[in-house]
Amino acid sequence: MLNFTFHNPTRILFGSGRIADLAREIPAGARVLITRGGSSVERNGTLAEVRQALAGFTVFDFAGIEPNPTCETLLQAVELARRERVDFLLAVGGGSVIDGTKFIAAAIPFEGDPWTILSERAPVRQAVPFGCVLTLPATGSEMNNGAVITRRATQDKLAFSSRLLFPRFSVLDPAKTRSLPPRQVANGIVDAFVHTTEQYLTYPVDAKVQDRIAEGLLLTLIEDGPKTLSDPEDHNARANLMWTATLALNGLIGAGVPQDWATHMLGHELTALHGLDHAQTLAIVLPALLQERRTQKREKLLQYAMRVWNLRDGGEEQRIDEAIARTRAFFESLGVPTRLSDHGIGADAIPVLLAGLERHGMTALGERRDLGLDCARRIYERAC
Ligand code: NZQ
Ligand code: ZN
């Protein structure tokens, strides 16, 4: 196992009716800005419940954070928060709203152009505290300190993190996910699945607990993901899905193990240039990347084949092929396509995607930092 420091200060309030408890988590007298996306939280009653729980606080509202949140929109919230001297943020929504709120939290006290936090990795020295009410299990943003922000003007989609940007608390009420359309449920399953493989399908370091937890998360997604889609009333499946997605990216399974993240980086270019949903990009890149990197990932792929897909017969190459085929079939079974051509994107798009990777410094990716632009090109080609 590798050395690690693990610290996760986010308090989780899990289960039905827990929104009512959030007032206790916010300092008395706080001036609270609710941040949210479109109308989903209004339509499913979450916003009304949040407002009721916040009775007694001074509350402001900022709506309109889009999926793949943009710096352009978020700066409007920063302006509002500065003007109204907001001292607590409450994100109500999915990963985009939470990520956007992390940027707002860092940008409010930031001197200079907040975009440099992403473009130049300018350090975050202060941040306004914030909490979350999660409505879409997928990103893990509700229990981690990272965020991915897009700048529309330049089509950049970049990630940043800071130890000041863990949510103070997150409310996870599975019932609040009942209104999700199948596409977003499926996206969430794929995202959590790929977060797990980014930290698991690398090379072995004898990290037994991390491996077993990762395999448990993958098996739960394979079991309860389809159940949630086929029976929206299955509350237990929803609850399992929600907690699985949080655990997939809260630092636990990534502690002390090598991490890849190339699938995500190749995927971010696809979102920035072609507007695909985050998880749609992952479903396309992962099977292609696993084929391309099967030698480097050989031992873990064999472990994955056996422990996740129960593949015990046949030669090693055959089992790896079958594990990759099952992964692709699983994504497809959720209704998430796995080829660029399914989105009308052809091989002619690849040079621009590669130029994006280069511009963003993504030229030495993977768990051994040996995945360069040539390899990225082969992965995109395989994904056609
Ligand atoms: O905008 P509203 O009206 O709220 O609708 C949203 C949005 O259209 C809707 N939705 C959310 N909860 C709902 C609901 N609709 C009905 N009922 C509900 N309960 O779902 C749509 C998508 O929401 P979004 O927040 O964009 O989805 P997701 O949670 O998948 O977040 C994706 C973003 O997170 C980033 C991605 O890059 C992408 O920008 N990621 C963040 C990570 C992190 N911070 O650790 C890691 C991830 O790898 C990922 O990169
Ligand atoms: Zn992701």
Side-chain angles (χ1 to χ4, degrees):
M1 202 187 305
L2 311 177
N3 288 1
F4 66 88
T5 300
F6 178 68
H7 176 73
N8 192 314
T10 301
R11 206 171 153 88
I12 297 294
L13 283 64
F14 190 96
S16 297
R18 298 308 305 279
I19 290 177
D21 298 331
L22 64 77
R24 258 180 269 156
E25 308 296 329
I26 302 175
R31 295 168 67 79
V32 182
L33 176 63
I34 295 174
T35 50
R36 58 189 175 97
S39 58
S40 74
V41 298
E42 242 171 321
R43 279 182 280 125
N44 72 5
T46 307
L47 186 64
E49 252 181 75
V50 167
R51 283 190 178 285
Q52 196 176 359
L54 288 177
F57 290 92
T58 308
V59 179
F60 304 89
D61 185 27
F62 182 84
I65 299 177
E66 57 279 81
N68 307 306
T70 67
C71 175
E72 285 89 343
T73 300
L74 301 169
L75 289 177
Q76 296 170 24
V78 172
E79 210 180 292
L80 170 68
R82 284 179 178 161
R83 191 170 64 235
E84 300 293 352
R85 289 172 290 107
V86 161
D87 50 17
F88 201 93
L89 305 171
L90 184 62
V92 184
S96 292
V97 171
I98 300 175
D99 280 12
T101 303
K102 290 175 180 174
F103 179 76
I104 297 166
I108 293 169
F110 192 82
E111 287 175 19
D113 176 5
W115 179 249
T116 59
I117 296 171
L118 291 122
S119 63
E120 292 166 29
R121 305 198 159 272
V124 175
R125 298 192 202 284
Q126 283 181 66
V128 173
F130 67 98
C132 309
V133 176
L134 180 68
T135 62
L136 198 176
T139 64
S141 189
E142 66 280 5
M143 200 177 177
N144 69 39
N145 63 346
V148 190
I149 308 295
T150 297
R151 186 159 73 161
R152 215 183 292 131
T154 47
Q155 290 183 311
D156 293 318
K157 182 170 185 180
L158 299 173
F160 80 111
S161 66
S162 158
R163 61 169 73 178
L164 299 176
L165 290 174
F166 283 99
R168 293 293 165 102
F169 65 86
S170 286
V171 178
L172 276 58
D173 176 352
K176 295 291 166 281
T177 70
R178 174 65 187 83
S179 55
L180 281 167
R183 167 169 158 188
Q184 297 302 343
V185 175
N187 277 350
I189 298 164
V190 171
D191 198 18
F193 196 99
V194 180
H195 292 161
T196 309
T197 60
E198 298 274 26
Q199 302 165 86
Y200 166 74
L201 278 180
T202 57
Y203 55 86
V205 291
D206 199 25
K208 290 199 169 63
V209 175
Q210 294 90 322
D211 278 8
R212 295 286 189 191
I213 298 175
E215 288 150 4
L217 298 177
L218 294 172
L219 287 164
T220 306
L221 292 167
I222 292 166
E223 207 173 303
D224 281 11
K227 272 195 208 166
T228 307
L229 280 170
S230 64
D231 179 6
E233 302 307 325
D234 189 336
H235 181 82
N236 288 332
R238 275 183 192 284
N240 282 314
L241 198 57
M242 199 166 205
W243 189 223
T244 299
T246 301
L247 289 173
L249 196 50
N250 74 344
L252 188 63
I253 62 167
V257 300
Q259 301 193 15
D260 183 343
W261 297 105
T263 299
H264 270 70
M265 297 310 133
L266 269 63
H268 286 173
E269 297 303 330
L270 280 165
T271 298
L273 290 159
H274 298 278
L276 270 55
D277 292 351
H278 172 62
Q280 291 175 336
T281 72
L282 305 177
I284 292 167
V285 177
L286 182 70
L289 179 136
L290 293 180
Q291 271 302 351
E292 185 60 35
R293 305 287 281 177
R294 59 189 290 151
T295 311
Q296 294 87 342
K297 293 182 183 292
R298 182 183 181 79
E299 285 170 272
K300 287 308 271 295
L301 276 169
L302 286 166
Q303 182 178 324
Y304 171 66
M306 185 171 75
R307 294 193 191 168
V308 176
W309 296 109
N310 201 22
L311 299 169
R312 291 159 196 278
D313 303 329
E316 293 190 344
E317 297 309 321
Q318 196 185 341
R319 272 178 277 150
I320 290 174
D321 276 335
E322 182 64 18
I324 298 172
R326 298 266 183 120
T327 308
R328 184 187 293 283
F330 176 58
F331 295 162
E332 299 268 357
S333 76
L334 302 170
V336 186
T338 59
R339 300 276 180 194
L340 283 171
S341 53
D342 294 321
H343 295 274
I345 301 170
D348 53 327
I350 295 175
V352 187
L353 293 165
L354 294 174
L357 283 174
E358 186 164 29
R359 191 158 54 87
H360 297 133
M362 301 296 167
T363 53
L365 299 172
E367 59 271 23
R368 293 193 193 274
R369 304 285 164 259
D370 59 350
L371 195 164
L373 290 178
D374 258 1
C375 184
R377 180 179 43 75
R378 290 195 295 274
I379 293 168
Y380 283 134
E381 281 168 359
R382 279 184 191 274
C384 286

